Amino acid sequence: MIKLSISFLFTVIVVLLVVLFIFTIYLLFQRQREIRFAETRDIFLENYSQHWYNYLINDEIFSMVLVPRKRAQVAAIEIIFSSYLKNIMNDKVEHKIKEFSNLYLKRFYEKDLASKRWSIRMNALYRIADLRIEDLLDTCQQFEKTKISEEEYFQLLKIYSLFQPELFIEKMKESCVHYSESEYRRLFVLLEDDVFIRLFEDFDSWTKNIQFAVIDTAAVKRNMQYIDKLKQLLTHEIPEIKIRALKGLYEIGVIDEIDPYVPFVTSDMWEVRLMVAKIFKHVPLNYTYAYLEQLLEDENWWVRSQAAKTIAENREGIAKLQQFMESSNDQYAIEMAQETVVRKQGNK
């Protein structure tokens, strides 16, 4: 059994107390730094927010007093710029913010990219994108060559998509990093239409997440030029792509012909039949009623329900459903038509 002397135990206790004391002093020092940082930031906000308003909104002459000299002042300017960019859609204001950031904030974020702390590097990447600091594009490309995380690489892709779309497409093709559909949508929605449409050209070479994100983003953008691209995907061998293409066409809401959709009325997949019933909302009822009547007698409840809703949306829809109830032999379809008529009349 090892016997510990009192002097040894006393020494250990003293060492631990010293370490604890040093750690406490460090925490107090860090806390004081944070307080001074916040005070400097808030003073800048209080003193210069009106100056920024006058410069950005009232077109007053730019004053050098607005140029930050300390990191806390940069933080204050970030708050000001973020507020304007989120709440005011104005090209002139955005240009002024971009011009100022490229001149006076660039050096701060360039230094941050060399930081050992991941959070500081990520914040710099966010700011470079949000404030459109194009002058740091070369720095970002050099930064990419270092050992970076997937999150950092995603932000680099966002920066490339904003500043150099050609480079973005190139990076997408060679990237070994894979992201979720929602993350790809966040990238694609930023692209100009002439760049985004190129993603359809190499559609089959992309991963599924990219393919799905391309289709969903086209639906969000709702640009007429994407209609033909989505219609081309209706013959795709992957069912999910076919369904999403139909959904995208429904979201865009412009149906110039019904012939491409008619074969889907008898599809083996109920999800496809459901989407066709939705798409027919955007077509006059006299062109689609025969197909909707067929869908109203579908074996799937969701398809029947959507077909009835689509018919009811038309000005003559209620009369058509009442006629259907008198002539049909499908009890399930009749009940669906009755429910839809009652619901529609009750909402009037």
Side-chain angles (χ1 to χ4, degrees):
M1 183 176 179
I2 300 174
K3 294 183 179 180
L4 299 177
S5 66
I6 294 177
S7 60
F8 177 76
L9 289 173
F10 180 76
T11 302
V12 171
I13 292 171
V14 169
V15 170
L16 290 175
L17 288 173
V18 169
V19 171
L20 181 61
F21 176 76
I22 294 172
F23 185 66
T24 302
I25 294 299
Y26 172 77
L27 289 178
L28 291 173
F29 175 75
Q30 286 296 105
R31 179 57 180 163
Q32 286 301 312
R33 283 187 61 185
E34 291 175 2
I35 292 173
R36 288 196 300 271
F37 184 93
E39 287 176 347
T40 304
R41 180 197 63 203
D42 294 343
I43 288 171
F44 188 91
L45 283 170
E46 183 178 349
N47 292 341
Y48 296 108
S49 290
Q50 186 60 43
H51 288 74
W52 275 112
Y53 180 84
N54 292 335
Y55 170 63
L56 294 173
I57 305 299
N58 294 335
D59 290 330
E60 289 192 5
I61 298 174
F62 177 75
S63 172
M64 290 301 293
V65 300
L66 299 178
V67 177
R69 292 164 181 78
K70 299 178 180 179
R71 177 65 61 175
Q73 295 171 340
V74 173
I77 291 173
E78 288 175 354
I79 293 172
I80 293 170
F81 284 179
S82 177
S83 176
Y84 280 103
L85 291 173
K86 286 181 180 178
N87 299 308
I88 299 178
M89 301 296 292
N90 186 296
D91 291 339
K92 180 179 66 177
V93 170
E94 291 176 6
H95 176 73
K96 286 182 178 180
I97 289 175
K98 174 183 174 181
E99 188 176 49
F100 178 90
S101 300
N102 277 275
L103 282 173
Y104 301 113
L105 300 183
K106 177 179 68 174
R107 64 186 178 92
F108 291 98
Y109 299 125
E110 187 172 24
K111 182 179 178 182
D112 286 350
L113 287 179
S115 174
K116 293 182 179 180
R117 291 176 58 186
W118 178 85
S119 60
I120 291 177
R121 298 196 305 271
M122 280 297 293
N123 181 71
L125 291 170
Y126 278 121
R127 300 306 178 185
I128 290 168
D130 293 342
L131 303 178
R132 303 297 195 268
I133 308 179
E134 295 179 347
D135 288 354
L136 286 179
L137 179 60
D138 290 340
T139 304
C140 288
Q141 289 182 264
Q142 291 301 314
F143 174 69
E144 184 188 339
K145 296 176 183 178
T146 64
K147 190 176 181 179
I148 60 176
S149 65
E150 290 187 6
E151 292 84 359
E152 288 170 311
Y153 187 68
F154 179 83
Q155 283 305 124
L156 284 174
L157 287 176
K158 181 179 178 181
I159 289 169
Y160 297 153
S161 73
L162 292 169
F163 302 157
Q164 202 171 65
E166 291 294 333
L167 179 61
F168 169 76
I169 296 292
E170 182 183 320
K171 294 293 182 182
M172 285 287 295
K173 288 180 179 179
E174 66 184 33
S175 176
C176 296
V177 183
H178 302 292
Y179 298 103
S180 66
E181 290 178 47
S182 62
E183 287 172 317
Y184 282 123
R185 285 197 297 269
R186 283 164 52 196
L187 289 174
F188 298 160
V189 77
L190 300 171
L191 295 173
E192 296 293 333
D193 289 329
D194 60 332
V195 179
F196 174 73
I197 203 166
R198 288 176 52 188
L199 295 172
F200 281 101
E201 296 172 6
D202 301 310
F203 189 84
D204 287 326
S205 67
W206 302 122
T207 63
K208 283 187 178 180
N209 279 355
I210 293 178
Q211 291 176 332
F212 295 159
V214 168
I215 296 172
D216 294 349
T217 304
V220 171
K221 284 176 171 283
R222 294 186 178 180
N223 192 310
M224 294 283 288
Q225 62 180 310
Y226 304 144
I227 293 176
D228 287 338
K229 297 296 183 182
L230 291 175
K231 283 165 70 174
Q232 289 170 11
L233 297 178
L234 295 180
T235 57
H236 203 280
E237 59 184 9
I238 299 177
E240 179 68 15
I241 288 177
K242 197 179 299 183
I243 293 169
R244 290 191 182 226
L246 286 167
K247 182 179 178 182
L249 289 161
Y250 166 73
E251 294 292 341
I252 293 174
V254 178
I255 308 300
D256 54 356
E257 56 178 345
I258 68 168
D259 290 345
Y261 308 102
V262 171
F264 296 118
V265 172
T266 55
S267 170
D268 293 335
M269 298 181 63
W270 70 267
E271 296 93 342
V272 170
R273 302 195 301 273
L274 174 66
M275 287 312 308
V276 171
K278 286 188 173 185
I279 283 174
F280 284 162
K281 272 188 176 184
H282 303 303
V283 183
L285 189 60
N286 58 307
Y287 291 102
T288 61
Y289 179 71
Y291 306 115
L292 286 169
E293 188 178 59
Q294 187 175 344
L295 291 169
L296 186 54
E297 296 181 338
D298 196 272
E299 62 183 19
N300 183 276
W301 185 91
W302 293 104
V303 177
R304 294 198 303 273
S305 176
Q306 183 58 57
K309 288 177 184 176
T310 298
I311 294 171
E313 289 292 321
N314 190 274
R315 184 173 57 183
E316 301 173 356
I318 297 299
K320 286 285 188 181
L321 288 174
Q322 289 172 334
Q323 291 174 12
F324 174 83
M325 287 185 282
E326 295 173 0
S327 60
S328 177
N329 296 319
D330 188 321
Q331 189 58 38
Y332 291 115
I334 293 172
E335 289 176 1
M336 181 61 69
Q338 287 175 333
E339 290 175 14
T340 305
V341 169
V342 171
R343 192 182 307 116
K344 186 73 174 178
Q345 291 178 334
N347 291 336
K348 288 184 179 180

